[in-house]
Amino acid sequence: MYNESMLIGIKVGSSLLTDNKGVNREYLFNLCRQIADLKRLGHRVFLVTSGAVASEPNQRMSKNLRAAIGQAKLIGEYRNFFEIFCIKVAQILVNDKDFLYDSSDRDSSEVVHTLFEVFSYKAVVPVINANDATSDEELEALSVCADNDRLSLMICRT
């Protein structure tokens, strides 16, 4: 079935995933349902998600701490909703070095290996995001992973 399947990347921004209270659970449930439908049709689907910082509304915390708390909260919500559809979540946090490899040596990337393995399982969805809990200097230096549009493109190229 996977020979004719499509690779479908879905990129979701913070404004869709969160509201002034944190995670927008209704939106997230509907997103997970639609992805489950695509998986049932045999497609390979990956999700590039924002929302880690925005899902923790306590503005007194640093951005890094909000990212660390919010990422755990967000992946927990994804896990809970996907479980309804008998799908497991594979959280993949990445940084630029995961994609800065020589194209002739792309098989050496652990992210590539992990994605190929995830795509071999019908009941697993990779939920991918930049590792936003790193230091501010690293966040500012990220050229691929800080922009989820570019991150989605890099994953399609794997």
Side-chain angles (χ1 to χ4, degrees):
M1 183 187 288
Y2 278 109
N3 291 341
E4 296 181 22
S5 72
M6 290 188 293
L7 175 62
I8 300 172
I10 299 170
K11 180 230 169 206
V12 186
S14 297
S15 64
L16 293 173
L17 291 173
T18 61
D19 54 27
N20 59 353
K21 296 176 240 163
V23 176
N24 181 338
R25 297 184 82 238
E26 181 179 353
Y27 178 84
L28 204 60
F29 172 77
N30 287 320
L31 175 65
C32 293
R33 181 183 47 76
Q34 292 173 29
I35 292 172
D37 289 344
L38 291 169
K39 295 289 287 179
R40 268 194 291 284
L41 292 172
H43 300 296
R44 296 165 295 144
V45 181
F46 68 89
L47 176 61
V48 174
T49 182
S50 297
V53 174
S55 67
E56 175 48 58
N58 186 342
Q59 296 291 320
R60 291 178 290 152
M61 295 178 179
S62 71
K63 183 177 180 181
N64 300 88
L65 180 55
R66 288 172 54 214
I69 293 169
Q71 188 63 39
K73 185 185 307 181
L74 194 58
I75 201 67
E77 294 286 357
Y78 277 122
R79 186 190 73 244
N80 291 338
F81 287 131
F82 275 119
E83 280 179 355
I84 294 168
F85 306 104
C86 300
I87 293 176
K88 293 180 184 260
V89 171
Q91 180 181 30
I92 302 175
L93 297 174
V94 297
N95 59 44
D96 280 0
K97 73 178 182 180
D98 294 317
F99 296 100
L100 300 177
Y101 51 84
D102 183 337
S103 61
S104 65
D105 190 30
R106 79 178 203 165
D107 290 337
S108 68
S109 168
E110 288 302 318
V111 168
V112 171
H113 285 290
T114 303
L115 286 171
F116 279 122
E117 183 176 3
V118 168
F119 290 144
S120 72
Y121 290 92
K122 187 175 182 178
V124 180
V125 170
V127 177
I128 305 163
N129 194 6
N131 190 357
D132 290 337
T134 57
S135 72
D136 288 331
E137 293 81 27
E138 288 181 46
L139 280 173
E140 291 173 12
L142 292 173
S143 63
V144 174
C145 297
D147 179 331
N148 282 341
D149 291 326
R150 289 188 69 201
L151 177 56
S152 298
L153 176 64
M154 293 303 292
I155 293 175
C156 286
R157 289 182 177 171
T158 62

